[in-house]
Each structure stands twice: as C-alpha cells, then as structure tokens.
Amino acid sequence: MAFVKDMLRMWAHSWKRFISIAMITLLGVAVLTGIYAGCRDAFRSTDRFFDAQGLHDVQVLSTAGLSNGDIAALRKVNGVAKVQAERSQEVTFDLDGRKSATMQEIGTNGIDQPYLQEGRMPKKAGEIAVTRKFIRDSGKRIGSRLTVTPESASSDTSDTNDTNGADGTNETNGTDEAPSFPTKLTIVGVVLDPQNLSNPDGYSAMTSFRSTATTDYTFFAPSDGVTGTLYTSATLLVKGAAAESTFDESYENTVKQVTDRIDGTVKTDRQKARRQELLDAGNKKIADARAEADKKFADAQSQIDANRQQFNQQVDQIVSMQAGAAAAGAAANGANAGAAAAAGATTPQLDETTRETMRETIIAASPELTQAKQQLDQAQSQLNEQKASTEQTLKTKENELKTSIPQVRWYVQDRQSLGGFSALKSDLDSIQSLGNAFPIVFLLVAVMMSLTAMARMVEEDRSLIGTYVGLGYGRLAVASRYLLFALLACLIGGGLGLIAGFLGIPAFLLVVLQGMYVMPGLRLEYDWLYGSLGIALFVVGVLAATIYACVQEMRQTPASLLRPKAPRAGSRILLERIRPVWNRMGFLGKVTARNIFRFKSRLIMTVGGVAGCTALIVCGLAINDTVADLGIKQYRDIYQYDLMVVSDDSDASAMRTKVASDGRVTSSLDVRIESGDLTVAGSGDGDSGKAGSSGSESIQLVAVPEKHLSDLGEMVTLQPVSSGILGTSGVGKTGSLKLDDDGVIVAQSAASALGVKAGSKVRLTNGDGVQATAKVSAVNRNLIGSDVYVSETYYAKLFDSKDAKNTKNSKSSEDSEALTWNAMLAKLSGSDTSQTDYAESLEEDSSVMKAVSCAHMADSFKFDLMGAVVALIVALAGGLALVVLFTLANTNVSERVREMATLKVLGFFDREVHHYVNREMMILTVMGVILGLPLGRLVGGMLTMALNMPSLYFEVEVKPLSYVIAAVATMAFALLVQLFVNPVLDRIDPISSLKSVE
C-alpha cells in the first residue's frame, strides 16, 4: 500500500510531465482521427444519399441514341439489377441573355431520382422541378412560368439525322423519334440533382475550373407529356454495388465487372445492330421514295398517253374527213349517181404510210395542231429526263448510304465520369492524404518528447528506484510506476483527442464542405476500431520510450542506483578550438556554449522537436501559398491571352464576326477546342469513356491551324518541364518549346497525374469520341486544367480527317475547310474590369457558347477547402510547438536545479538566472528554426506531390513571408514558455537544492 501511495505522490509531483504527454497525445490523436473522420463522415453521408436517390452505377450513351432493343440487351447483362431508359432534350430560354438547359425526364425505375428540397415533385405535363442554382440566378420561384425553345437536333444524333431519304425527311429511323418535351412550363418544386452536389450558395468559384456541364441548368419533368421512343442514354444499377461504399476500391471492382461485360459483347453487337437498323431505315426510305416516284411517273405517263390518244383521235378524224371528201369528189366524176351514193356510204381504206403522211400534212398545215404535238413531245421528254434523273439519284443514295451513316459508338461510363462526383471525391481524397501524412510527424515528436520527459523522471527517482530494488521489489513492479504514468497520460490525452478528432475537427471540416457541396443527411459518426488504433499507436510509441528510459537506469545494480549519478566528464567543444572567436566570448557565453554542445541528447531533442514543429508550420503555409498562387500563375503567367470565346460549329463564323466588330481585340488566334480524354497507352483497357478511371484524365483538346503554329507561343507560354523530386520540376526556357506535326504537347497537370513524359505514347479521344494513339512531343508547364495542344495536320493524321490531310500544302487553313475553328484566343485592350465585363456581355450573344476572361479567373480562383485544412494544420502545429517547448524547458530546469541553486548562492539575481537559462533555450530554438525552415519546404514538396487532383498541378511555392511567420511564431511560443518557466526558477531554494543526497 505504501508503494502505491508513494507512486501516486510521485505522479502528483510530476503533473507537468503528465500534462505534456497528455497534450502531445491529444494533438496527435486529434490530427490522426480528425481529418480522417471528417472525410469519412462526408463519404458515408454521400454514399447513403446516392443509394437513397438511386444514383446510377453505369451510364450508357450512344452516338445514334438508344432503342428498345438496346435497353433489352442491357437488361440481359449478368450483374445488372435495374435498367432505366432516359429521355432528355436540350432547350434554350431567355434569362438576361440566351441560356440553355437540359429537360430531363424523371425516371420511373428509381434511378437518378432528384432530391426534393422545396415544393413538390412534378406530376402533370408542363410541370417541372428546377435546381436551386436556377432559382438563385433567375429570381423565379415556385409557381413561376417559363417558356423554352427546343434546340436543333442534338449532337448525339446529328450523324444519323443526316441520313435523309429522297423525300427529305429527318427521322432517325422508321419507328423511333427523338424525345420531345412540353415548352410551356410551370415550376412546382426545387430539387437537388444527385449527379451534381455543388452548393450554388457556397463557394461557387471553387469548381469553376472543373465544370463539366454542357448546359447551364437542368429541368426535371414527369413522363406525362414527353414523346419519342428514342432514348438519349440508359442508366444501370449493379447488383451488390449498393452494399459497397461508392468511394472504395471494392465498389469500383464490382462495377468494373459489369462494364467489362458490356464492353465485351453487348456493346459490339448492339453497335452493329443499331447501325444496321439505320441502314435498313435508310434503304426503306429509298425504296419508299422509289415507289412514290414510280407512282408519280406512272400517273404522269398515263396523263400524257391520254392526251396523246385524244390528239391522235382528233387528227385521225380530220384524216378520215379529208379521205372521205376526196373519195366523194372522185365518184362525182363517174358515170352514174348510184356509184356516187355507194362511194359516199363507205370510208375509203388507206394504208398506214398514206395515213401517216396525211397526219403529218394536216398537223403541219395547222398551227394549233403543231403546237399541241410539240407540247406532248416536250412533256414526254421532260418526264423521261425526270425518270432518269430520279433513278440516278436513288442509285447514288443507295451507293452512299453505307458511307453516310457512321459507325455507331457506345460510351460506357461509371460514376467517375460525373463532374460533381469526381470533384467531391478528389477533394476529400486530397484532404485525407494530408490527414495520413501529418500524424507521422506528431507521432515522432511525441516519442521524442516522451523519451525526454520519462528519462528525466526516471533519473530523478534514481535513488528511490535503487531503494525499492534493494528492498526486494521486482524491476517490473518498479518500472510499472512510470509505465502506468505514461499509459494514463496517453489514455487521458487520447480520449480527449478522440473527442476533438471525431467531433471538433470533423464539425469544422464539414462546415467548410457544406459551403461547397450539398450533402443531405450529414452526421458525425464514431469509428471504434480506428479510434482505438489511434490511441494504441501513441500508447505504443510513448510506452516504448518509457521502457527504454527505465531499462537504461534499471540495468544497474541497487548500489549504483543509490549513489548520485556521476557528472559528465568535462570535454572541449569545437568552438573552443576556434581561438579568435572563443577568446572574445565572455564567461557566461562560454558556459552557455559548453552547456549547449556538451549535452548531446538535450541538444538533439530540443533542436529536433523545434525543427519538427517549425517544419509543420512551414509545410502548412507552403500548401497555402501554393494554392493561393495557382490562379495568378495560370491565368496571368501561363495564359498570355485575355479572352477565350467558344461557340457551336454552326455559329463559329458569326462569333468571330461579332468579336471582330467590337473592336476590343488587339490580336487573336482561331483554334478548335474539344472536350476529350487522355489515357495512358497500355493501362488497362484504355476505355476513355471511363473518364475518372485509373490512367485516364479529362482534357481540353486544342487544335491549332497549320499556318499559325508559331502564333500559339504568343497566346500561351510554352515551357518544357521535366519531373523532379519532392514537388519540384525542371522548367525550360520560355519559348523553347514549339508545336509541330510530330506529336502533341500535354499539360503538366495531366502529365503529372498519369506519369506521362516526352516521348510517351498516349491514347486521345476527341470530341466526336474517335480514339487514336498519339506521341507526346513535350510536356508544357500548366497548373490548372488539362490542355493538350495538337497541330491541324497531326489532328488529321490521328483522327483520319480526310478533308484535312492536305492542309499543310493549302493556301490557308481557312480555305482548306478541314476543321471548324469554333474558338478564339484573344488579347484585349482595357483594364481587367473592362475585360471581365466584356466577357460577360459576349455570353449574352446567341452565337457565343462560352466566354472566359483570364483576369476574372485569376481574381476569383479560390480553394477554400484546402485553405481551411491548412489553417487547421498550422493551428495544431503551433499547439504542438508550444507543448514541445514547454516540455523541454521544464525538463531542462529539472535537470539543472542544483546548478541554478549554485548560481543563486553565488549572488545571481533572479533576472540573471532567467537570462542564463532562457538564453540557452532561445539559442536551441533558433537552431531548431534554422533546421525546420528547409525541412518544412522539403516536407511541403512531398505532401503537394501527394495532392494528385484532376486538372491541377501544385507547383510548390513558399513565400518569404511564410518563412518569417513560421520563425516568428516558433520564437513567440518560446518566449511564451519563458513566462511559465521563470516562476519555477524563482521558486528554487538554494539550501534544500544543494543538500547532498547522501
């Protein structure tokens, strides 16, 4: 019992060490569990929401639309739980300019169901539910009315719609019709689209650089009032996928099995079948046109024949009359009147030659008959020409039918292709990667500080340990005094750390996340396994340090332990050998130098602990500086142009005319911009339809006219880069990179994510879904977005554009008509504000699809989530620095109580004693700061390499101010600790402290 009481008394006496170990454990467990818990809570709530709304696991798109046969084939695929045929239509309306929206039918099979936020779901024709973004932008409310105008044939079916029959109809085939929605609409509800969880009322600038939406808004309508049997897509749910977390690899593997089956047989068979349907429909149109033409020609021929018969009858009647008159005259010259009467009673019989001669004579003698015969002959000739022309046209149509109908292509996509899903996942994954890295530093610091504190604690009880061992107590029993002390501190600190880690930090992160994304049903959850392992990790580390300290002391005999530990032997330090310096130092300066460098363990622990804390602060600030400069570097340094304007192919000429007429452009470059994919050749199946899968990246494909390749360098800074280590990269000279016909130039943001280098082979997918294997000629410095630059000639070579193969020798790129230059990069005159206003005014023009001002993007680019996490990390690192310095300072004082007492006996005032002790700590702190600043840059580079996000490359940047802040913060913490240490020095009693232990 006395042993226990003494142990408790010893614990109470060492309350400062207890608090130090508990605080370090608290901070470490909080960092280890907090970021993880926040991301996990977001993952789980989002997964529950996706399951409740039936977000599709697989989506199938086709360039020719999907028929009932396609839907039936998908239902037969092994592993498919549900299939829902989707109908949608793009419409436009007037909302402070021309805006576009997608009319989306609400599925009846429970897939992709919108989440009702306000009002009710639409049920009748003409009713719609809209997103909160539309309500915010339009100022409309529930009950408001809206009139929309359907756009012309969508790009998804434009190829098939070109296969017109002879009658000029524009149907896809004989039975299927494109979807059509009501145009007079009434808003009855506000919903959340499960495919896009972006918060329109939050940090809207966050996702602007990653937006993948093809229209401005989405309107949800019921099946009532929707016509058309041709489907724009098919959405699928996979068996067993709902039981997995949508963000886990197990879910991806489950879905991939089904997508592989669709890609394997169904896709190929249905592509051929669908094309054959289109061919049959085209042949049927041609056959129907031939039958209709034959009927029209037959009717016309019958009419001509009837008119000719009537004409012949009229001429024959005249011939008969003239022949009868001639016969009557001949009889009158005869012998008797009886013969004349007999001759007048019968028409003379004429042979065919005579009759034909008389016809021609009669017709020639009559202008009216001559004109009538000419009209009949002309009508017959025209009819014959029309028949020949029509037959030739139909034969040409038959010959051109197979080439005019392109191959049907299916695109099988999973959730990764959804822009909102991939953005949320990449954000959370990046934050989680930081949460996995920082606790390592906290753990190392915790072990170092625990070793320092517990070693000193054991050394202080050296004689007591010898007494207990001499009295027969086992070494394990004696060591348990310190092991239980450390264990209790870890458990208490860890328990508080779990509270902060599963409640405090997640609540902070989720507040930031909810400013970016809408996540219904979000709640905080505790993970017993992860929390227990988090505490266990620090318990093991601290106990290991405590065991090491105990073993170092207890391996001695009780007699040795009962005697005071012999002081360290005097020795020279390196500075003493530098005479010019050493001889000019004062007495206290020399004592300080000897104290610092003679006690190696204290030097290493103090410098190492301070360096680790400083490095964490620098690392956090480095990430913040890196993210803060992304927009400026990209939109002011890399992009030299001020404006990018994009239009539909059909409006390209009007767009250029509009921009030119405004007179704001000082120089411009016409290009073609397409959205596509870049896949590393040989990585998996290379299916670029899976935009978010491993080895694939969504890109912006920029084709440059052949005659203006040199002008690209004036619009975009072309600098070759080579991958470096620890977040660095080698950047070549500006202007040393040229675009040519031997390969493509890939943006650094995409190349870094996929491991692409100059000379690599990649698979490109253009805007029409055509795939080709391309050579990477160079990697260009690029931080935001994934641009791939390609020359006009190389584009034609890759994607087999027959019209473009001879463009290199043509007079001009415009005359060749190889590609439609649907975009313009332009430099503008005027201030940043005027350029932003001009871009906004252009978007109101009907010929402009998108206008982007680089000045606006540079000013508005933000990454609030990363900034919030960095602020959290810096705060925790600052707290750790304060605890570390407090622990080291108290340990330093406890080790030198007799020394401080001696100084007081020698006449040192309290203030001089403070200066004597604190000077050593400040020097050690400065040394730790000097070491921690470059170490923080090193760790920052490693962590930014781990932040592998779509369309972003983190070029590590640490501003001088950040180094100053980190150094000043650490020194401020050291000064703050002095306020706690000085009273301890004042309470040292020289008499009791100098008493001999013996």
Side-chain angles (χ1 to χ4, degrees):
M1 190 65 183
F3 181 82
V4 175
K5 288 183 179 180
D6 184 61
M7 179 177 66
L8 296 176
R9 190 180 298 110
M10 181 266 294
W11 289 3
H13 179 72
S14 302
W15 63 273
K16 294 180 181 179
R17 294 191 181 96
F18 188 92
I19 292 177
S20 297
I21 297 174
M23 287 298 298
I24 292 175
T25 306
L26 185 154
L27 293 173
V29 172
V31 173
L32 178 64
T33 60
I35 298 178
Y36 158 82
C39 295
R40 188 207 55 166
D41 291 341
F43 279 140
R44 287 191 175 184
S45 64
T46 307
D47 182 62
R48 287 192 300 267
F49 176 74
F50 286 159
D51 291 341
Q53 304 308 124
L55 181 65
H56 67 262
D57 298 312
V58 179
Q59 184 181 43
V60 178
L61 302 171
S62 173
T63 56
L66 298 173
S67 63
N68 289 322
D70 297 326
I71 304 301
L74 290 172
R75 287 196 176 99
K76 297 178 182 179
V77 176
N78 184 25
V80 173
K82 287 183 179 181
V83 178
Q84 179 173 284
E86 304 274 358
R87 292 183 292 185
S88 63
Q89 182 183 30
E90 292 188 4
V91 297
T92 59
F93 57 93
D94 184 27
L95 179 64
D96 296 331
R98 182 173 177 267
K99 297 292 184 180
S100 62
T102 298
M103 295 288 296
Q104 180 68 48
E105 179 186 15
I106 300 176
T108 58
N109 208 14
I111 303 178
D112 289 344
Q113 298 296 296
Y115 176 78
L116 183 63
Q117 294 178 302
E118 186 179 347
R120 63 175 178 85
M121 296 298 291
K123 298 179 180 179
K124 299 185 296 184
E127 296 181 343
I128 60 169
V130 299
T131 59
R132 191 166 297 281
K133 177 185 177 184
F134 176 78
I135 295 293
R136 185 199 64 180
D137 294 347
S138 65
K140 296 183 180 297
R141 59 182 184 272
I142 294 177
S144 299
R145 299 184 182 276
L146 182 69
T147 300
V148 298
T149 303
E151 288 191 350
S152 58
S154 66
S155 60
D156 287 342
T157 57
S158 61
D159 291 340
T160 60
N161 288 342
D162 290 340
T163 314
N164 301 335
D167 59 350
T169 59
N170 206 24
E171 297 178 357
T172 305
N173 58 40
T175 57
D176 293 332
E177 296 180 356
S180 178
F181 287 72
T183 57
K184 304 291 185 180
L185 308 175
T186 302
I187 301 173
V188 298
V190 179
V191 297
L192 173 65
D193 185 357
Q195 298 187 30
N196 184 8
L197 301 183
S198 298
N199 186 356
D201 300 319
Y203 313 118
S204 57
M206 268 290 304
T207 54
S208 60
F209 65 96
R210 298 191 288 206
S211 178
T212 58
T214 56
T215 56
D216 298 310
Y217 309 101
T218 301
F219 299 157
F220 296 90
S223 298
D224 186 20
V226 182
T227 61
T229 56
L230 187 67
Y231 306 110
T232 52
S233 66
T235 51
L236 291 70
L237 293 182
V238 175
K239 293 180 180 178
E244 306 289 345
S245 173
T246 186
F247 302 99
D248 290 347
E249 186 177 354
S250 58
Y251 167 83
E252 296 178 1
N253 294 334
T254 301
V255 173
K256 188 176 185 301
Q257 292 176 3
V258 175
T259 56
D260 288 344
R261 294 189 188 108
I262 296 176
D263 287 332
T265 56
V266 178
K267 177 179 176 179
T268 303
D269 294 343
R270 289 309 305 171
Q271 285 178 161
K272 293 179 180 178
R274 181 62 179 154
R275 186 169 187 271
Q276 189 60 48
E277 289 178 1
L278 297 176
L279 288 173
D280 293 343
N283 287 324
K284 184 177 182 301
K285 288 180 181 180
I286 294 175
D288 292 343
R290 177 179 277 111
E292 183 178 354
D294 290 345
K295 182 177 181 301
K296 291 180 179 178
F297 292 148
D299 293 342
Q301 187 64 56
S302 298
Q303 183 64 37
I304 293 174
D305 291 344
N307 293 337
R308 188 176 294 280
Q309 183 179 3
Q310 183 180 358
F311 175 80
N312 290 336
Q313 288 177 353
Q314 183 179 359
V315 173
D316 288 343
Q317 184 178 3
I318 296 175
V319 170
S320 299
M321 291 174 60
Q322 290 184 357
N333 296 329
N336 51 61
T346 60
T347 300
Q349 299 295 324
L350 302 176
D351 60 80
E352 188 63 29
T353 303
T354 304
R355 183 178 293 277
E356 187 62 31
T357 302
M358 293 182 67
R359 283 196 192 101
E360 294 177 355
T361 302
I362 292 171
I363 293 172
S366 173
E368 293 81 1
L369 293 178
T370 301
Q371 183 179 3
K373 184 176 184 299
Q374 290 176 350
Q375 290 177 347
L376 288 173
D377 292 342
Q378 184 177 2
Q380 185 64 54
S381 175
Q382 290 177 349
L383 179 62
N384 292 338
E385 290 178 359
Q386 289 179 0
K387 290 173 65 176
S389 175
T390 301
E391 184 62 25
Q392 181 62 36
T393 299
L394 292 176
K395 288 183 177 179
T396 302
K397 287 283 186 180
E398 288 178 339
N399 295 332
E400 294 178 350
L401 182 61
K402 289 187 177 181
T403 57
S404 63
I405 296 181
Q407 296 292 333
V408 176
R409 297 185 184 89
W410 270 27
Y411 298 98
V412 183
Q413 301 176 337
D414 55 21
R415 290 181 181 177
Q416 299 283 358
S417 63
L418 300 177
F421 176 89
S422 60
L424 172 63
K425 185 176 186 297
S426 64
D427 285 341
L428 294 178
D429 284 342
S430 298
I431 302 308
Q432 201 166 34
S433 66
L434 290 179
N436 294 335
F438 274 95
I440 298 175
V441 180
F442 278 77
L443 179 61
L444 292 176
V445 173
V447 172
M448 290 174 59
M449 294 303 101
S450 300
L451 179 60
T452 301
M454 297 309 299
R456 180 55 194 166
M457 185 176 180
V458 173
E459 185 177 338
E460 286 179 352
D461 290 346
R462 175 185 174 89
S463 59
L464 185 60
I465 292 173
T467 301
Y468 278 124
V469 174
L471 292 174
Y473 285 90
R475 296 179 185 274
L476 181 59
V478 177
S480 64
R481 292 160 49 93
Y482 310 100
L483 293 175
L484 292 176
F485 177 86
L487 177 62
L488 184 60
C490 285
L491 292 179
I492 293 177
L496 296 175
L498 291 181
I499 295 176
F502 283 98
L503 293 178
I505 295 178
F508 169 76
L509 290 179
L510 294 179
V511 167
V512 180
L513 279 172
Q514 286 179 315
M516 299 165 51
Y517 303 100
V518 180
M519 293 180 283
L522 186 62
R523 64 174 183 263
L524 302 178
E525 300 181 27
Y526 180 72
D527 188 334
W528 288 97
L529 178 60
Y530 193 85
S532 301
L533 291 177
I535 293 180
L537 183 64
F538 281 84
V539 166
V540 170
V542 173
L543 288 183
T546 305
I547 291 173
Y548 176 80
C550 292
V551 169
Q552 289 295 104
E553 290 293 334
M554 294 183 185
R555 64 185 179 182
Q556 302 180 42
T557 63
S560 300
L561 291 172
L562 287 171
R563 289 193 298 269
K565 189 175 182 179
R568 297 178 62 89
S571 62
R572 290 178 176 272
I573 61 174
L574 180 61
L575 191 60
E576 292 186 49
R577 304 181 186 279
I578 307 176
R579 290 295 178 181
V581 177
W582 184 258
N583 292 336
R584 286 173 173 78
M585 293 177 61
F587 170 75
L588 292 180
K590 294 179 179 179
V591 172
T592 300
R594 286 197 178 103
N595 288 338
I596 290 175
F597 293 105
R598 283 179 60 203
F599 301 97
K600 301 294 191 301
S601 61
R602 187 174 66 191
L603 172 66
I604 293 173
M605 291 298 177
T606 305
V607 173
V610 173
C613 297
T614 305
L616 285 178
I617 297 175
V618 173
C619 181
L621 294 175
I623 297 175
N624 184 70
D625 291 343
T626 299
V627 173
D629 284 350
L630 281 178
I632 297 176
K633 288 181 178 180
Q634 181 67 36
Y635 297 110
R636 295 196 183 278
D637 296 342
I638 297 177
Y639 287 166
Q640 296 297 310
Y641 60 84
D642 301 314
L643 177 71
M644 179 179 70
V645 189
V646 184
S647 70
D648 289 326
D649 287 356
S650 58
D651 297 328
S653 178
M655 176 269 292
R656 286 194 292 271
T657 302
K658 164 65 178 172
V659 175
S661 64
D662 291 337
R664 295 291 305 276
V665 176
T666 58
S667 62
S668 64
L669 174 65
D670 293 337
V671 296
R672 177 168 184 81
I673 294 181
E674 300 176 354
S675 296
D677 292 315
L678 184 147
T679 307
V680 177
S683 63
D685 58 4
D687 188 355
S688 62
K690 302 173 184 176
S693 59
S694 177
S696 180
E697 185 87 5
S698 296
I699 62 168
Q700 182 172 267
L701 188 62
V702 182
V704 183
E706 193 66 32
K707 296 297 183 180
H708 300 284
L709 295 181
S710 59
D711 296 338
L712 179 62
E714 299 178 3
M715 295 295 171
V716 179
T717 301
L718 299 178
Q719 288 180 276
V721 295
S722 56
S723 59
I725 60 173
L726 305 177
T728 62
S729 58
V731 181
K733 183 180 179 182
T734 301
S736 61
L737 182 59
K738 303 291 183 182
L739 180 63
D740 53 33
D741 300 330
D742 296 331
V744 299
I745 297 178
V746 179
Q748 185 180 14
S749 47
S752 175
L754 300 177
V756 174
K757 301 178 182 179
S760 300
K761 296 288 186 180
V762 296
R763 183 174 294 113
L764 291 178
T765 304
N766 69 354
D768 295 327
V770 181
Q771 294 184 350
T773 300
K775 175 187 176 182
V776 178
S777 61
V779 176
N780 184 51
R781 178 173 176 255
N782 198 85
L783 308 180
I784 302 175
S786 297
D787 297 332
V788 174
Y789 299 101
V790 57
S791 68
E792 182 182 5
T793 300
Y794 196 58
Y795 182 99
K797 178 181 178 181
L798 291 175
F799 303 111
D800 196 24
S801 177
K802 296 181 180 179
D803 296 335
K805 286 189 175 180
N806 297 320
T807 58
K808 191 169 185 178
N809 298 323
S810 62
K811 294 181 180 180
S812 70
S813 59
E814 294 180 356
D815 295 339
S816 67
E817 298 181 354
L819 292 173
T820 300
W821 309 114
N822 66 341
M824 174 188 291
L825 308 179
K827 293 183 178 180
L828 302 177
S829 59
S831 63
D832 290 350
T833 303
S834 64
Q835 292 177 8
T836 301
D837 295 340
Y838 179 61
E840 292 176 353
S841 66
L842 278 179
E843 286 200 326
E844 299 178 2
D845 190 270
S846 59
S847 64
V848 176
M849 179 189 300
K850 189 71 174 177
V852 179
S853 167
C854 287
H856 174 68
M857 294 299 292
D859 294 337
S860 62
F861 180 86
K862 295 179 181 179
F863 209 162
D864 299 85
L865 177 59
M866 188 65 70
V869 174
V870 166
L872 175 65
I873 291 174
V874 170
L876 292 173
L880 180 64
L882 186 61
V883 174
V884 166
L885 289 170
F886 179 80
T887 303
L888 292 172
N890 277 281
T891 302
N892 182 39
V893 171
S894 65
E895 288 178 341
R896 304 168 64 185
V897 171
R898 292 175 63 85
E899 182 182 352
M900 300 301 105
T902 302
L903 292 176
K904 288 189 175 186
V905 170
L906 291 176
F908 279 66
F909 294 104
D910 289 342
R911 187 175 179 181
E912 292 174 322
V913 175
H914 298 169
H915 181 69
Y916 177 80
V917 175
N918 294 331
R919 181 167 56 177
E920 294 180 15
M921 284 301 302
M922 292 302 293
I923 293 175
L924 291 173
T925 302
V926 169
M927 294 172 64
V929 168
I930 294 174
L931 180 61
L933 293 179
L935 181 62
R937 170 60 178 81
L938 191 67
V939 175
M942 296 173 64
L943 285 179
T944 50
M945 288 183 65
L947 298 178
N948 192 9
M949 301 178 66
S951 304
L952 283 178
Y953 177 80
F954 292 94
E955 190 176 70
V956 184
E957 174 79 15
V958 186
K959 297 179 180 178
L961 181 60
S962 296
Y963 288 118
V964 174
I965 292 174
V968 170
T970 305
M971 298 304 295
F973 291 143
L975 293 174
L976 181 61
V977 167
Q978 290 182 12
L979 299 179
F980 296 99
V981 173
N982 289 341
V984 177
L985 294 174
D986 295 340
R987 289 194 295 267
I988 294 177
D989 183 12
I991 297 176
S992 60
S993 300
L994 289 175
K995 286 182 179 179
S996 175
V997 178
E998 300 176 347

